[in-house]
Amino acid sequence: MAVSTSPTSLGSEPKLRKELLRIHDDHQVFTSFEAFSVQLPALMQWGRHRHDASTCVALLGLLEPLSGVQIEPRWIRISRDNLRESLLAGGCLSRHRAITRVLEHVGESLTSLRDQHIYLPETSTGFVDWLRRHHIRNLEVSDFLQDAEIVPVGVGNHQNLCALTYSSHRFDLVICNDVFEHVYDLPRALEEVYRVLRPGGRLLATFPMAFGQHENIIKAEFRGVQQMALFRGEPEYHGDPIRPTRGSLVYQIPGWQILDLASMIGFSAVMMHLVSSWKCGVLGGDLPGVFVADFLR
C-alpha cells in the first residue's frame, strides 16, 4: 500500500481540510458537456487533493456501498499511480464502488437487486464475485471470447456486445465495467443494450472518459473480422484477464458525445454521475472521482 503521508500531517492546512471535506462523499450529476465544463475548473482543483484523500482511506478504511460493510485499512490495497484502478477492497476497485454508489443513489439495495435480471459482459472479475457473495444470483455473465488467450470454464458464455443473442426486453439492469472503450462499434453496442433492456430498465457503465471534450477520441477502426484494425496513432491496449499477454484493443475513448448517441438511440434519460468519495473508497485520476454513465430505457 503505497501511501506515505503521516496522520499528524494530514489536514494540517485549513484549505486542505476544506477540500478533503468537499470530496468526503460528493455526488454530482451532469446531462451535458456544457453543464460539466462550468464546474471543470473547480473539479480539477479538488482533484489535486485525491492523493491526500487516499491517505484518509489508508488510515480510516472505507464504507462499502450497498452492503454497508466497513473495510479496515489492512484489507485495502492502494496504488497512488492510478486510484481509479486501485483502492482494491473486497474484490472491488474504486470504479466498481462508483457503480454501486450510483445504484444506492437511484434507490437500489442488495434486496431489490436480488429480484432483478442483471447482465454483465464480464466473467472472471472481482466485481462479479462480489455480487455473487452478496447473493445477487440472477446474473447473466459473458465474455467476448474471440482471440481469447484464456477461456473461462463454466462461468459464462461468448457474447458480442454488438450482436447479443439475448431476447429483447430480457434484463432489468445492464452493467458495463470499462467495456465501451473496447467495442468495435459503439453505436451498435448501445443499440443492443437498449434492445435487451426492458422498458424502464437501466444501463450503468464506466469507461475511461475524454471528459474535457464533446467528441469521442477514435483510436482504431474495425475493418472486419479477417482484417487488421486501422489504427489512428499508436495502438492502445488495456489489461484483460482473458488476454493477459496482449490485453484488449482500445477502439475509442468516449467523450460527452456518448450522451447524444444514447438519446438518439432512444434512452429516455441520459446522464453522467461523478462520484467522489473517500468515505466509500471512490477516487479518480485527474478528477477527484469516477464517472458513471446512467442511461434509462
Side-chain angles (χ1 to χ4, degrees), residues 119 121 142 158-176 179-180 183-199 201-203 261-262 264-267 295 297:
Y119 171 57
S142 73
H158 169 75
Q159 287 286 337
N160 179 350
L161 201 62
C162 299
L164 294 171
T165 64
Y166 300 117
S167 60
S168 299
H169 305 165
R170 176 167 177 173
F171 299 106
D172 301 290
L173 174 65
V174 174
I175 298 175
C176 292
V179 173
F180 285 162
V183 297
Y184 59 80
D185 187 339
L186 182 57
R188 183 59 183 163
L190 287 171
E191 288 174 354
E192 280 293 274
V193 172
Y194 181 86
R195 180 183 64 80
V196 301
L197 278 171
R198 66 166 178 79
R202 171 174 262 114
L203 163 65
L261 181 58
M264 289 174 57
I265 287 169
F267 285 95
F295 301 159
R297 193 192 192 290

Side-chain angles (χ1 to χ4, degrees), residues 7 27 79 109 117 137 141 155 255:
H27 194 137
S79 170
S109 65
H117 290 76
R137 302 297 184 188
V141 298
V155 294

Side-chain angles (χ1 to χ4, degrees), residues 231-248:
F231 299 113
R232 296 189 181 180
E234 190 70 22
E236 183 175 337
Y237 296 84
H238 292 172
D240 187 335
I242 67 172
R243 297 173 182 85
T245 302
R246 64 177 177 272
S248 185

